[in-house]
Amino acid sequence: MHALFLGARANKLHEHPIISPDEAPRVLDLGCGTGMWCLDMASHLKPRTGRFEQVEVDLEPRCDDGTLPEDATINRWYDALKSATQIAGRPIAYNTATPQMLAAQGFTDIQEKVIRLPLSYWRGSGGPQREIAYFYPLALVDEAGLEAYSLGPLTRAPVSWPVEDVMRYCEETKRDIQNKNYHVYHVM
């Protein structure tokens, strides 16, 4: 995922400018996988002042050209995941009020940058989209990303699907992700 995020952000480790060279840097890497981003930041950072940067992937399938049928498995997968995580009190759905919530806590200079993450090579015509169209589906399909998102929420009470059903559902969803006729993307 580090390579995906790096490629999606034009090889920038962070978006905000780092201003003050007078303070020691403090970087907090929350739930970001292997820690590769943190190591890259440490190697490039000089003492700076603090900033907060949040990166989220919104898993809701999007399609602008009507190529994704409404009853596609990927849509049903997302609806099931969204419902299960909502029931568990840990919603996976992107909260559109996040900027307002941050402002209410005193954060300033809040910026939101949306990057498309194609689910297959249909958008891979060049530039960063080509790299994203390679790495993102790889993470979801080949590196068990769908299973990682799905198994916990869908097998725990009250949803309580059998593991075999979740795995079968993930396989069906992967076929949608690999279908180049579906011009589907997530946003980051």
Side-chain angles (χ1 to χ4, degrees):
M1 291 301 273
H2 176 61
L4 164 72
F5 288 154
L6 200 58
R9 299 170 88 177
N11 289 320
K12 294 190 299 187
L13 290 170
H14 55 88
E15 291 292 327
H16 290 286
I18 298 176
I19 316 169
S20 172
D22 300 328
E23 297 181 27
R26 292 182 184 188
V27 175
L28 179 60
D29 182 8
L30 295 174
C32 297
T34 64
M36 287 177 62
W37 175 85
C38 206
L39 292 172
D40 278 356
M41 278 297 286
S43 68
H44 290 95
L45 252 184
K46 296 181 181 177
R48 302 288 188 251
T49 189
R51 297 280 180 162
F52 172 75
E53 194 165 307
Q54 176 178 329
V55 179
E56 291 186 50
V57 175
D58 184 354
L59 296 173
E60 182 175 355
R62 290 173 170 75
C63 177
D64 297 334
D65 63 5
T67 57
L68 182 69
E70 285 186 34
D71 66 344
T73 304
I74 193 168
N75 287 331
R76 290 181 286 134
W77 168 80
Y78 176 73
D79 290 342
L81 185 65
K82 180 179 170 184
S83 175
T85 57
Q86 185 69 38
I87 290 168
R90 300 187 58 139
I92 201 161
Y94 174 70
N95 187 338
T96 57
T98 298
Q100 293 81 11
M101 291 168 29
L102 291 170
Q105 295 303 313
F107 287 92
T108 59
D109 191 25
I110 298 167
Q111 301 172 22
E112 189 171 34
K113 182 176 181 179
V114 177
I115 299 170
R116 288 183 179 209
L117 304 174
L119 293 183
S120 68
Y121 299 104
W122 64 270
R123 288 189 66 84
S125 60
Q129 286 292 303
R130 182 179 180 94
E131 193 170 336
I132 295 167
Y134 174 77
F135 282 112
Y136 190 58
L138 180 71
L140 287 177
V141 174
D142 295 341
E143 296 179 3
L146 283 178
E147 291 85 348
Y149 282 123
S150 306
L151 280 167
L154 296 176
T155 60
R156 292 184 188 128
V159 179
S160 303
W161 288 8
V163 170
E164 299 78 22
D165 289 355
V166 174
M167 297 303 287
R168 185 172 45 257
Y169 211 51
C170 286
E171 288 304 316
E172 292 173 14
T173 302
K174 288 177 184 182
R175 284 194 285 278
D176 280 0
I177 290 172
Q178 294 169 325
N179 187 335
K180 291 178 180 33
N181 295 319
Y182 294 169
H183 301 165
V184 185
Y185 62 94
H186 291 156
V187 293
M188 177 174 87

